[in-house]
Amino acid sequence: MDYLTILLGFVGGLGMFIYGMQIMAGGLENAAGSKMKTLLEALTKNKLMGVLLGAAITAVIQSSSATTVMVVGFVNAGIMNLTQAMGVIMGANIGTTVTGWLVSSVEWAEFLSPAKLAPVALALGVVMMVIGKRQRSKDIANIVIGFGLLFIGITTMSNSVYPLRDAPAFQEAFIKLGKNPFLGILAGLAVTAIIQSSSASVGILQSLAAVGLVPFGAAAYIIMGQNIGTCVTAILSSIGAKRNAKTAAIMHLLFNIIGTVIIGGLAMIYLEFINPVMAAGMISQTQISVIHTLFNIVTTVVLFPLSNWIIKLAKKIGRVDEEGVDPGQVYLDDRILETPSIALQSTVKEIGRMGDLVEQALDVCKRVLFTRKDEDIKYLKEEESVVDKLTNGISDYVIKISMKQISEKEHQEVAHMLQIVSDMERISDYTENISEFAEALKDKKVEFSDVAKAQLEEMLDVCVSSYSYALKAYVDQDKEMALKVIEQETKADDLEVKLRSSHIKRLAQNLCNTHAGIVFLDALVCLERISDHARNIAEEVLQQVAE
């Protein structure tokens, strides 16, 4: 028996299987990008919503490891707390079973046999890729091509190991794995840890089962080990992260180990003492999919009520409590970049947080020119420094997203983000200027006239509200709110001309202090420019909504 030929054929088939899975996942992710952004909003909901979210995202990107790595990134970025992370981790284990069902479909749907479907899928996908002009067509083409490659890969693996069905040593090895749960779990763990994909390791098991090599008992224990092995990727990704993020990886490991202990113990009792005949019989690809799915669903149902206890245990092991938010830190994580559509939505949230800080500064501006309190002046200067840090961090992250394989629409979204961040930063600069005006008034001990105060308050209301509308328009992608900004900005322009003319007349009549008059005019300029930048944000939103 030529073992080298068998090995080369198996490795080649595995490579094609993994590559097909990645191509299909990439196409699914791009095609479902907007839906995945909507799903991300569920992070603010309860733990059950997190389970559904984790299952949905994993079904799209075809990897529980990738989902859990993203969770580690979300926790590290402060986007997700540990309770939300727990729900997503549980759901990811369920979502990863989708690939196994695709592979096993050849048994329960004859028309899906690789020999018939894979060549057709590849041919159709290539035709769509060549003649398709729109990005969506190319995304669908990638899904179809990936599907074909995945099937060809699993067939190649099965064909390459077919001679081993007559090899006594190989059969004996699987029998031992079935009789020794610890060895079976260890084998599944090792293979999954090496290739870092439970979907791929389940595919390997199914390719061996297709030629009648795997006993039922061995498969059951190997599948349990695969669920533990998939934790390795998340643990590795948490190296260098904050303790909270490391705790998320520990939660994933604990969840799968506890599930394996409980379900593995029940399986051992059933297969060893109640139905040893089933344990010794050969397993099919579909039965592997059933066991994989049932194991993950039952584990989630059993451990869901105990999830808070698992979180506490993980915190104790990781020696961490929930960490507070540092407003100057950019809560975006490079781990999330592997799924650009979600990275974009995370960035939208972070821009929204930065926008809230600017809005808070503008609220202080509404009073600082009149009260001139030291704490307000200090706050505005510190807030501007925080916004500068956020601007640099967010812009760098957005550029990293642009370097990924993203759609044309997402490239346009990146451009809008960079412009909006720039406009927010400029507004923050003007809030600092206003704090300096307040400081100058305080140092010179001068006051505005009652008329000047009333006019400044009117201008502040118009310009601050224009920014508030602009921020809401961006966060909610609200066209009507964006149009309100344009109305307010036009009003601010007219008001600036009117108030400037009125104030110059007062200065000419010595009705106003000269120093206060200069500050008044400078403040008008700053406020009018704040409304200009608010309009820029609104126009970017209108372009996004129209695209």
Side-chain angles (χ1 to χ4, degrees):
M1 189 176 296
D2 189 351
Y3 289 105
L4 180 60
T5 301
I6 292 172
L7 178 63
L8 290 174
F10 183 81
V11 171
L14 175 61
M16 194 174 297
F17 177 87
I18 294 174
Y19 183 58
M21 193 167 63
Q22 288 181 340
I23 291 177
M24 183 169 65
L28 281 165
E29 183 191 331
N30 288 336
S34 59
K35 293 181 178 63
M36 289 178 73
K37 292 175 186 179
T38 303
L39 284 172
L40 191 62
E41 295 297 328
L43 291 177
T44 58
K45 307 298 181 183
N46 57 36
K47 201 181 300 174
L48 179 59
M49 290 299 295
V51 174
L52 299 175
L53 174 71
I57 290 178
T58 306
V60 171
I61 65 177
Q62 307 257 319
S63 172
S64 61
S65 297
T67 301
T68 310
V69 167
M70 280 196 296
V71 167
V72 171
F74 283 141
V75 174
N76 195 50
I79 298 171
M80 185 187 293
N81 61 39
L82 293 175
T83 302
Q84 292 168 328
M86 188 73 234
V88 178
I89 286 168
M90 290 188 285
N93 281 10
I94 297 172
T96 196
T97 62
V98 169
T99 308
W101 282 105
L102 283 175
V103 172
S104 65
S105 64
V106 300
E107 292 183 343
W108 46 267
E110 179 61 28
F111 70 93
L112 291 176
S113 66
K116 295 177 181 177
L117 195 60
V120 174
L122 280 174
L124 179 62
V126 170
V127 170
M128 291 176 67
M129 181 67 73
V130 172
I131 66 174
K133 302 298 181 185
R134 300 178 62 183
Q135 183 61 42
R136 185 166 183 81
S137 299
K138 295 185 183 297
D139 291 335
I140 295 172
N142 279 333
I143 296 171
V144 176
I145 290 171
F147 189 72
L149 287 175
L150 184 148
F151 267 28
I152 290 174
I154 201 75
T155 304
T156 303
M157 283 194 287
S158 296
N159 291 341
S160 66
V161 298
Y162 187 83
L164 294 177
R165 67 183 300 169
D166 299 321
F170 208 79
Q171 293 173 347
E172 185 64 26
F174 272 105
I175 290 171
K176 285 183 179 178
L177 291 177
K179 289 182 177 178
N180 190 324
F182 179 76
L183 284 179
I185 291 170
L186 189 62
L189 189 159
V191 171
T192 308
I194 291 169
I195 63 177
Q196 297 201 12
S197 171
S198 60
S199 295
S201 60
V202 169
I204 291 172
L205 191 63
Q206 288 177 305
S207 70
L208 296 171
V211 295
L213 280 170
V214 187
F216 195 98
Y221 300 130
I222 289 170
I223 288 169
M224 294 176 199
Q226 288 169 336
N227 268 45
I228 298 175
T230 196
C231 300
V232 171
T233 308
I235 290 170
L236 290 174
S237 79
S238 70
I239 295 173
K242 293 187 298 186
R243 283 188 178 181
N244 242 15
K246 291 176 182 175
T247 303
I250 294 170
M251 284 176 357
H252 186 210
L253 181 62
L254 284 174
F255 177 77
N256 285 339
I257 288 176
I258 294 169
T260 298
V261 170
I262 295 173
I263 307 301
L266 294 174
M268 188 168 61
I269 293 169
Y270 181 79
L271 295 174
E272 290 291 324
F273 304 106
I274 299 175
N275 197 345
V277 175
M278 173 183 278
M282 295 299 115
I283 196 169
S284 69
Q285 291 179 318
T286 302
Q287 286 173 323
I288 287 174
S289 296
V290 171
I291 292 174
H292 191 206
T293 303
L294 280 177
F295 173 75
N296 287 307
I297 291 176
V298 171
T299 300
T300 299
V301 171
V302 170
L303 295 184
F304 188 85
L306 304 174
S307 57
N308 288 335
W309 178 81
I310 295 173
I311 293 170
K312 288 179 182 177
L313 180 59
K315 281 184 178 183
K316 193 169 183 179
I317 294 172
R319 293 179 296 176
V320 67
D321 294 317
E322 294 280 358
E323 299 171 17
V325 174
D326 173 9
Q329 182 176 344
V330 178
Y331 290 95
L332 294 168
D333 195 285
D334 286 354
R335 296 167 184 81
I336 310 170
L337 289 169
E338 295 308 311
T339 310
S341 59
I342 292 182
L344 279 168
Q345 185 62 12
S346 301
T347 309
V348 170
K349 286 181 173 291
E350 191 66 356
I351 294 173
R353 184 172 75 87
M354 173 178 158
D356 288 339
L357 293 176
V358 175
E359 186 173 36
Q360 290 165 21
L362 285 170
D363 283 338
V364 174
C365 284
K366 291 177 74 174
R367 64 173 181 266
V368 74
L369 286 170
F370 312 117
T371 63
R372 302 154 199 174
K373 290 182 179 179
D374 288 334
E375 57 264 35
D376 287 342
I377 292 170
K378 181 181 177 183
Y379 172 84
L380 289 173
K381 290 181 177 179
E382 289 177 348
E383 205 67 13
E384 201 280 326
S385 178
V386 168
V387 170
D388 279 348
K389 289 178 184 176
L390 290 175
T391 299
N392 293 333
I394 292 172
S395 298
D396 288 345
Y397 193 80
V398 171
I399 290 169
K400 288 179 184 177
I401 296 175
S402 70
M403 296 170 70
K404 296 290 181 179
Q405 289 186 339
I406 58 177
S407 67
E408 181 59 33
K409 185 175 181 179
E410 287 171 329
H411 272 296
Q412 291 170 352
E413 188 173 352
V414 163
H416 292 311
M417 283 180 171
L418 289 172
Q419 183 58 54
I420 287 168
V421 167
S422 175
D423 282 310
M424 286 182 176
E425 193 275 332
R426 292 296 296 131
I427 291 172
S428 177
D429 286 342
Y430 289 125
T431 66
E432 184 183 32
N433 290 344
I434 289 171
S435 75
E436 291 168 352
F437 299 155
E439 198 169 27
L441 289 172
K442 183 175 183 179
D443 289 343
K444 294 182 183 298
K445 297 180 181 179
V446 293
E447 297 284 344
F448 291 121
S449 67
D450 290 341
V451 175
K453 282 182 182 179
Q455 290 180 341
L456 263 183
E457 285 174 350
E458 183 181 7
M459 187 69 172
L460 278 161
D461 285 340
V462 171
C463 295
V464 172
S465 64
S466 70
Y467 173 76
S468 296
Y469 291 147
L471 179 59
K472 186 169 178 55
Y474 174 65
V475 172
D476 298 338
Q477 290 293 284
D478 189 328
K479 180 180 177 181
E480 294 305 315
M481 198 61 66
L483 292 173
K484 276 189 178 182
V485 177
I486 293 173
E487 288 178 12
Q488 288 293 96
E489 193 275 333
T490 303
K491 185 177 178 181
D493 285 347
D494 294 341
L495 195 56
E496 193 267 344
V497 172
K498 175 184 170 185
L499 297 186
R500 175 180 293 276
S501 176
S502 172
H503 190 68
I504 289 173
K505 287 179 182 177
R506 286 200 303 277
L507 284 172
Q509 295 169 6
N510 288 321
L511 298 176
C512 223
N513 180 278
T514 305
H515 292 297
I518 293 171
V519 169
F520 181 95
L521 294 173
D522 287 342
L524 282 183
V525 171
C526 283
L527 292 171
E528 192 274 330
R529 287 177 182 171
I530 285 171
S531 71
D532 286 343
H533 287 289
R535 176 170 182 147
N536 290 346
I537 294 171
E539 288 176 345
E540 294 290 333
V541 171
L542 290 173
Q543 287 182 41
Q544 279 184 287
V545 172
E547 286 167 355

